Amino acid sequence: MKEKISAFPDIARQGIEHLGVNSLLDNSKKLFCIAHDLPPLKTPIANRANKLLGQFEKSWQLQILTGTENAVLHQPANIHYAKTWYPQGLINFLNKLKLEKLLQLLIWPDTEIFWILPALFRGYQLIKQHKPDAIFVFMMPYSAGVVGVILKWLTGLPLVLSLDDSPTCTDMHPISPSWLHHYLECGLENFYVRQANAVVYVSQFNLDLVKQRQPEPQKSKFNLIRCGADPSDFATPIQAEVTDTTFEIIYTGGMNGWYEFYHRPEEKTLLKKLYRTWMELGYYRRAKIDYRSSSPIFAGKAIQTLLIQHTEWEKKIQLAIYGNSFAESVVQRVLKNQNLTDVVSVFGSLPHFEAIQLARKADLLFITLPDRPDSSAGGRISCKTYEYLMTDRPILAAVPKGENWDYLQDKPGVWLVEPTDTAAMSQVIKDIAAAKFSGCPLRFDRTDIQRELSYINLVQDYLKILDKVCSKTVIANSNS
């Protein structure tokens, strides 16, 4: 029955749905998913895959291949683990010999290249056993795309690649180990586009750049589906505010600008400078990025400036960071070096749901991304941007000009400032804190945006893409 229905042209399919047996069609669809990162990992990619797969399961029967040991999803799912062949002992030995430079040059496109062969063996077995209708790959890691492409070659199944970040995104990957690596990364992305039946990008900026490089027949494969948020994470009632005497600014997620402030000027010895020069030797730079602003330093300085002006608010305003992955010793040394221990608190990683509940209680939500001194446009929207917009809280976004700035520009309750503009940050914090201390905290209705950002809606775009590539494959097979 399944084979007969799948061979029908669209008009017959619509007729069957009209007769009320659409559930038969839905229940017969099978999808093989490659998602290297899944919970219990706490990365944004793992969380996004978890949310989307939970929605996919309502329409497709899923078989999921992952590189995450003991992976779990909120929805019951058929999860299959393939263990990487990563040579941990050899890598540790080379690191001890200070040969990180060699590893940068040789391990490409990422460390999950050692997962490709075991994933291929396991994936091919699963496809032969379960006979899915299509292959869907979440990236990153980029090596997962190689697995998807080879499985397509071996099985003839249509392939959809969903890129969380472009391999050539200048926000995420402003530097390549060499010009050759840059050339290979561009080639790999072009290869993925031409081998896939459809590709999905979360960034319009990056999509347009890659699309421009493609021959005309390939351009119809591109689809934009931004990241989003799960409304159920925001449905639990939160406790009413009990005090107007404190003002908490919250940042959720990791920061990567700590080491820019780790050493005092007098500690930057000639030997350390030579080592850094050696590590950066041969780098190909796509964009100049100032990672100092991807830290709490500038926001902390802005708070201190404000407290000097308003001594009555001393010890009442704090910036709290949840989701730090750097060593506690590094964090505390940086905060001490910058004299910010009185206004900045840093906490480790925590479950995604708990981070969201903290954000929902914030007096002000904070986003900061690395500055771009060369004035080039950025093409990345931080995942926390969408989650912040699912709340009614004011948002201070210290981001460079580019897609993130443009996307947030017309959103209610968002203040945009340059990443290192402490004066502008201080003024925003002052205005919002004054409202809170006067008993009238600022809140914003973002209902329309929240519907747009819901994974429940976003997944419909994915399902349309899957239906489209499957129907094209059926027609091509019937014609042949």
Side-chain angles (χ1 to χ4, degrees):
M1 182 67 178
K2 173 188 171 183
E3 294 175 354
K4 292 180 180 178
I5 291 175
S6 64
F8 283 173
D10 289 344
I11 188 169
R13 188 179 181 89
Q14 292 170 3
I16 290 174
E17 294 173 358
H18 180 70
L19 291 173
V21 293
N22 187 50
S23 60
L24 177 61
L25 292 170
D26 288 342
N27 291 337
S28 70
K29 296 186 295 186
K30 296 180 181 179
L31 185 64
F32 181 73
C33 296
I34 300 173
H36 184 278
D37 290 3
L38 288 176
L41 296 180
K42 298 175 183 178
T43 63
I45 294 173
N47 176 68
R48 181 165 173 257
N50 177 29
K51 298 295 185 180
L52 288 173
L53 289 173
Q55 295 296 322
F56 282 2
E57 281 222 312
K58 297 176 182 179
S59 302
W60 291 69
Q61 297 178 33
L62 301 185
Q63 299 294 329
I64 303 168
L65 179 66
T66 184
T68 304
E69 193 170 6
N70 300 318
V72 292
L73 296 176
H74 287 312
Q75 301 290 333
N78 298 308
I79 302 175
H80 308 274
Y81 171 60
K83 185 177 181 180
T84 182
W85 292 352
Y86 185 76
Q88 186 68 60
L90 175 61
I91 300 299
N92 289 343
F93 175 71
L94 292 175
N95 281 329
K96 288 181 180 179
L97 295 178
K98 300 297 183 182
L99 294 176
E100 298 98 328
K101 180 73 172 179
L102 179 64
L103 297 177
Q104 283 183 3
L105 294 171
L106 295 181
I107 299 179
W108 182 87
D110 44 47
T111 56
E112 280 68 34
I113 190 174
F114 299 103
W115 187 66
I116 291 178
L117 283 179
L120 277 174
F121 293 142
R122 190 77 176 104
Y124 186 72
Q125 292 172 349
L126 291 168
I127 288 175
K128 286 300 182 183
Q129 179 181 352
H130 297 281
K131 296 179 171 56
D133 299 292
I135 301 170
F136 183 93
V137 182
F138 285 104
M139 291 190 287
M140 301 183 299
Y142 301 118
S143 296
V146 176
V147 178
V149 170
I150 297 177
L151 287 176
K152 177 190 176 180
W153 291 346
L154 294 174
T155 63
L157 292 173
L159 171 67
V160 178
L161 299 177
S162 180
L163 289 92
D164 190 75
D165 288 306
S166 162
T168 53
C169 171
T170 58
D171 286 288
M172 290 299 296
H173 312 292
I175 297 173
S176 293
S178 70
W179 178 88
L180 175 61
H181 287 78
H182 164 69
Y183 179 82
L184 290 172
E185 286 154 1
C186 291
L188 179 65
E189 192 164 18
N190 293 340
F191 171 76
Y192 282 155
V193 170
R194 295 169 194 183
Q195 294 301 318
N197 296 78
V199 291
V200 180
Y201 280 79
V202 298
S203 161
Q204 184 70 61
F205 183 88
N206 289 331
L207 184 154
D208 290 340
L209 285 178
V210 181
K211 189 174 181 179
Q212 289 170 8
R213 304 200 304 255
Q214 309 307 317
E216 198 62 36
Q218 303 295 330
K219 293 184 178 180
S220 62
K221 295 180 178 180
F222 286 81
N223 302 270
L224 174 69
I225 305 179
R226 297 193 185 278
C227 296
D230 186 348
S232 65
D233 288 337
F234 300 83
T236 306
I238 57 176
Q239 295 179 349
E241 296 166 9
V242 296
T243 177
D244 293 331
T245 60
T246 60
F247 186 85
E248 186 174 41
I249 306 168
I250 286 181
Y251 175 99
T252 60
M255 290 180 165
N256 58 6
W258 296 103
Y259 280 114
E260 304 299 318
F261 299 95
Y262 183 75
H263 293 291
R264 295 180 182 274
E266 63 271 17
E267 295 174 330
K268 296 179 180 180
T269 63
L270 177 60
L271 185 61
K272 290 178 180 177
K273 290 178 181 179
L274 288 174
Y275 180 73
R276 181 164 184 170
T277 300
W278 157 246
M279 289 299 295
E280 296 179 356
L281 183 65
Y283 277 0
Y284 180 89
R285 297 183 183 274
R286 297 190 180 101
K288 187 175 182 180
I289 303 294
D290 182 1
Y291 286 106
R292 296 180 310 145
S293 54
S294 182
S295 75
I297 304 305
F298 294 97
K301 298 293 185 183
I303 294 171
Q304 288 181 329
T305 298
L306 177 60
L307 295 179
I308 292 173
Q309 299 169 354
H310 291 267
T311 55
E312 71 276 16
W313 291 348
E314 188 176 355
K315 297 185 179 179
K316 292 183 178 181
I317 299 179
Q318 279 278 323
L319 169 61
I321 300 163
Y322 296 93
N324 170 63
S325 59
F326 282 78
E328 178 71 13
S329 59
V330 172
V331 171
Q332 292 306 316
R333 176 170 181 171
V334 169
L335 295 180
K336 186 176 180 181
N337 284 350
Q338 299 297 315
N339 299 314
L340 292 174
T341 54
D342 59 331
V343 294
V344 178
S345 301
V346 180
F347 304 92
S349 59
L350 67 166
H352 184 255
F353 180 79
E354 291 182 22
I356 286 176
Q357 305 320 304
L358 287 168
R360 296 175 67 203
K361 299 177 183 179
D363 296 306
L364 174 62
L365 291 167
F366 181 55
I367 305 171
T368 184
L369 291 176
D371 198 9
R372 302 173 73 95
D374 59 4
S375 299
S376 60
R380 176 194 177 214
I381 298 179
S382 173
C383 288
K384 67 175 60 63
T385 300
Y386 305 103
E387 293 172 351
Y388 285 4
L389 289 171
M390 291 293 285
T391 75
D392 61 356
R393 305 295 155 138
I395 299 169
L396 170 58
V399 298
K401 297 293 177 60
E403 188 167 10
N404 211 334
W405 182 289
D406 296 341
Y407 180 75
L408 288 170
Q409 201 158 29
D410 61 348
K411 301 296 187 290
V414 178
W415 281 259
L416 285 161
V417 301
E418 297 285 350
T420 60
D421 191 343
T422 56
M425 291 184 207
S426 185
Q427 184 62 49
V428 172
I429 297 169
K430 172 186 173 182
D431 293 342
I432 300 174
K436 165 71 183 296
F437 292 141
S438 68
C440 301
L442 300 181
R443 300 291 179 264
F444 300 91
D445 181 7
R446 301 189 180 111
T447 307
D448 292 340
I449 305 171
Q450 291 162 359
R451 280 194 290 266
E452 174 188 322
L453 298 178
S454 168
Y455 277 122
I456 297 171
N457 292 328
L458 293 174
V459 80
Q460 298 307 313
D461 294 329
Y462 279 104
L463 297 179
K464 289 176 184 176
I465 294 169
L466 289 167
D467 284 339
K468 183 178 179 180
V469 299
C470 287
S471 65
K472 284 185 176 180
T473 302
V474 169
I475 293 172
N477 290 340
S478 62
N479 290 339
S480 62

